[in-house]
Amino acid sequence: MSYHRYFQNRFPDYNPNIPFERPREEWHNQIMAIVQQVVHASQYQISSDGGLYVGSTGVAYMLYYISEYEHLNQYRDSLLKTALDIINRDIRFAERTAIGPEQVSFILGPSGIYATAAMVGKALNKESMVKENVKKFQSIATHCTVRDFLRCGCDELFVGRAGYLCGMQTLEKNLKTKILSDEVVNSICEAMVESGQEYSRRHKSAAPLMYAYYDTEYLGAAHGVSSILQTILCCPSFYTSTESNTSLVKSAVDWLLSIQQPDGNFVPSLPELNRPRAEHDELVHWCHGGPGVVYLFARAYQLWKTPAYLEACKKCGELAWQKGLLRKGPGICHGVAGSGYVFLLLYRLTQDKKYLYRAHKFAEFMFTPEFRQGARTPDGPFSLYEGWAGTICFLIDLLQPDKAEFPFFAVI
């Protein structure tokens, strides 16, 4: 068998009689050594352009995230000072370049910068910074209710409504305050559902709700229907507002469940259902594939307790164990840490230590000679989504598994 996209997983599976957790201090030392490299790169190699995805805002978020981890509290002040320097620079960039509806962009653009700035401000007890950036974030909501505000696609995660709502949900959790009224949230969700219905009707799709980004009908987390549905399911004021809303969204979730592949994966886009890739070339990534779609079914299981949703999650977990040691690098988007987060999610869902063991094994693999010599260097090697900044978030969550959550993707 060819292992073109992933390393062969040679780890034995979980044995409850064999300890597997390394001393916390060893991980701390490894984490802080990488943090120094990421911070250095943020000064000389990473620009403000690229937002949370590959820009310096992602590094600021990583520093904020570590600062909230109690066992590295001795570094908190210096972490937050660096995060503040970065985010102030990024805000100036956003205000020079943000134009109209493009401000909605969360993963790639301004709304993500403002949300990160508000969280950094909260950690530093800078109330004026929090208020100013929350206000900027809130003001962007009006663009989301306009029917077709982006020509490339208005609803997906990176630049569209889904990402903006993920930002809102993250802010509400971290700031512990209401960010958008239920009325505004419901109007955004309504626009997403109407958009999906209209597209589905126009293209005679089998899916009750379908979307396109740059004319491609993606299914996965990065640009596709799974993260759009997931975001709606994280807005209870909308999906519980009427029986028809609940029924429609649930039918879309069930349609996606019906096309899960025998190995647990999901094809990247709808046309590939009819012409799937060869096994050695299939995408097993957070961005495209089961390791991203799993979050939708985890959320659906939390809401409706339907066993089929949990089974879908477990199948994604088996897929990640078999094919998730990815050659594209360490990152959370299409790297090993993104696969590792699947196990942390399943651990939170089931409390089965098998999944915590698997997450530890994937973390350890990233520091082996096999990985260092055989993995490709991503375009953004120190960034939040492609590189080590996001991997640091995964390693922190490895040490606090009961709180673990993929960045901006909380479903539990």
Side-chain angles (χ1 to χ4, degrees):
M1 175 181 290
S2 168
Y3 298 98
H4 175 64
R5 292 189 180 273
Y6 58 94
F7 297 91
Q8 184 179 4
N9 185 350
R10 298 185 182 88
F11 291 116
D13 211 344
Y14 176 59
N15 181 337
N17 299 314
I18 300 176
F20 62 85
E21 296 183 65
R22 286 171 56 187
R24 188 184 295 271
E25 291 72 23
E26 288 185 15
W27 281 119
H28 290 173
N29 292 337
Q30 207 143 34
I31 286 168
M32 292 311 298
I34 300 169
V35 168
Q36 287 186 325
Q37 296 176 48
V38 175
V39 169
H40 183 269
S42 74
Q43 296 172 323
Y44 301 104
Q45 299 177 36
I46 305 177
S47 73
S48 298
D49 196 10
L52 285 162
Y53 190 73
V54 291
S56 50
T57 302
V59 176
Y61 175 79
M62 176 206 73
L63 295 168
Y64 160 78
Y65 198 71
I66 304 170
S67 78
E68 295 291 293
Y69 172 63
E70 61 181 344
H71 296 289
L72 289 174
N73 194 56
Q74 68 269 36
Y75 301 105
R76 189 173 190 273
D77 290 347
S78 62
L79 291 167
L80 289 173
K81 181 182 183 302
T82 305
L84 180 63
D85 291 341
I86 292 170
I87 204 67
N88 282 339
R89 181 185 74 193
D90 292 350
I91 289 171
R92 290 193 295 271
F93 171 82
E95 291 177 343
R96 288 196 312 269
T97 58
I99 302 172
E102 293 177 4
Q103 295 176 86
V104 171
S105 176
F106 183 73
I107 303 296
L108 289 178
S111 72
I113 294 173
Y114 299 141
T116 304
M119 291 186 286
V120 171
K122 175 73 171 179
L124 288 166
N125 294 314
K126 292 181 176 289
E127 193 59 35
S128 61
M129 182 179 177
V130 177
K131 288 181 178 179
E132 181 180 345
N133 284 285
V134 166
K135 187 176 180 180
K136 290 174 183 176
F137 183 90
Q138 291 168 328
S139 70
I140 294 169
T142 54
H143 296 297
C144 292
T145 58
V146 176
R147 189 175 185 85
D148 295 311
F149 67 90
L150 289 176
R151 295 178 65 182
C152 61
C154 303
D155 300 290
E156 61 86 65
L157 187 70
F158 278 34
V159 301
R161 297 181 180 107
Y164 183 74
L165 288 178
C166 281
M168 176 209 72
Q169 292 154 7
T170 302
L171 278 175
E172 289 191 345
K173 180 176 181 178
N174 286 276
L175 302 187
K176 297 179 172 55
T177 189
K178 191 79 169 168
I179 299 298
L180 300 177
S181 69
D182 287 350
E183 181 181 4
V184 171
V185 171
N186 291 352
S187 67
I188 296 173
C189 289
E190 189 71 45
M192 294 165 77
V193 167
E194 288 179 359
S195 172
Q197 281 183 302
E198 181 187 348
Y199 185 93
S200 180
R201 283 194 299 266
R202 194 166 68 246
H203 293 267
K204 297 181 172 55
S205 175
L209 300 172
M210 184 47 64
Y211 305 85
Y213 182 59
Y214 285 104
D215 299 321
T216 299
E217 296 165 328
Y218 290 108
L219 301 180
H223 307 298
V225 65
S226 69
S227 57
I228 295 171
L229 296 175
Q230 173 190 321
T231 303
I232 293 171
L233 291 184
C234 290
C235 295
S237 65
F238 175 75
Y239 71 77
T240 61
S241 59
T242 66
E243 189 175 326
S244 62
N245 283 339
T246 303
S247 177
L248 179 60
V249 176
K250 190 173 187 302
S251 67
V253 174
D254 289 339
W255 172 83
L256 196 58
L257 178 66
S258 74
I259 64 168
Q260 187 172 27
Q261 304 297 292
D263 68 351
N265 206 15
F266 291 84
V267 296
S269 63
L270 195 54
E272 292 192 42
L273 271 179
N274 299 320
R275 50 178 192 277
R277 300 173 182 226
E279 183 179 1
H280 73 273
D281 202 35
E282 71 174 325
L283 303 184
V284 183
H285 305 160
W286 170 81
C287 48
H288 300 295
V293 181
V294 65
Y295 294 89
L296 167 64
F297 293 117
R299 180 61 181 168
Y301 179 71
Q302 288 282 297
L303 294 177
W304 296 310
K305 302 302 179 187
T306 304
Y309 298 144
L310 180 58
E311 286 307 306
C313 292
K314 290 180 177 180
K315 287 174 73 175
C316 290
E318 293 308 309
L319 171 77
W321 179 244
Q322 296 298 327
K323 301 179 180 180
L325 290 175
L326 300 171
R327 290 185 180 273
K328 275 196 164 185
I332 60 174
C333 183
H334 38 254
V336 176
S339 302
Y341 260 122
V342 176
F343 306 132
L344 293 180
L345 172 69
L346 283 164
Y347 175 71
R348 290 197 67 185
L349 274 178
T350 67
Q351 292 298 299
D352 187 340
K353 279 209 164 184
K354 171 179 73 175
Y355 296 117
L356 187 55
Y357 164 85
R358 290 178 171 185
H360 273 265
K361 292 295 116 180
F362 273 41
E364 290 170 13
F365 183 76
M366 289 185 283
F367 299 96
T368 63
E370 183 180 8
F371 180 78
R372 285 197 299 267
Q373 294 165 16
R376 303 181 194 117
T377 301
D379 293 337
F382 298 102
S383 64
L384 184 64
Y385 278 80
E386 290 192 344
W388 283 103
T391 304
I392 290 297
C393 295
F394 166 65
L395 295 177
I396 291 291
D397 281 343
L398 193 72
L399 302 176
Q400 53 178 16
D402 292 322
K403 298 179 180 179
E405 60 184 48
F406 191 102
F408 313 107
F409 231 49
V411 293
I412 298 178

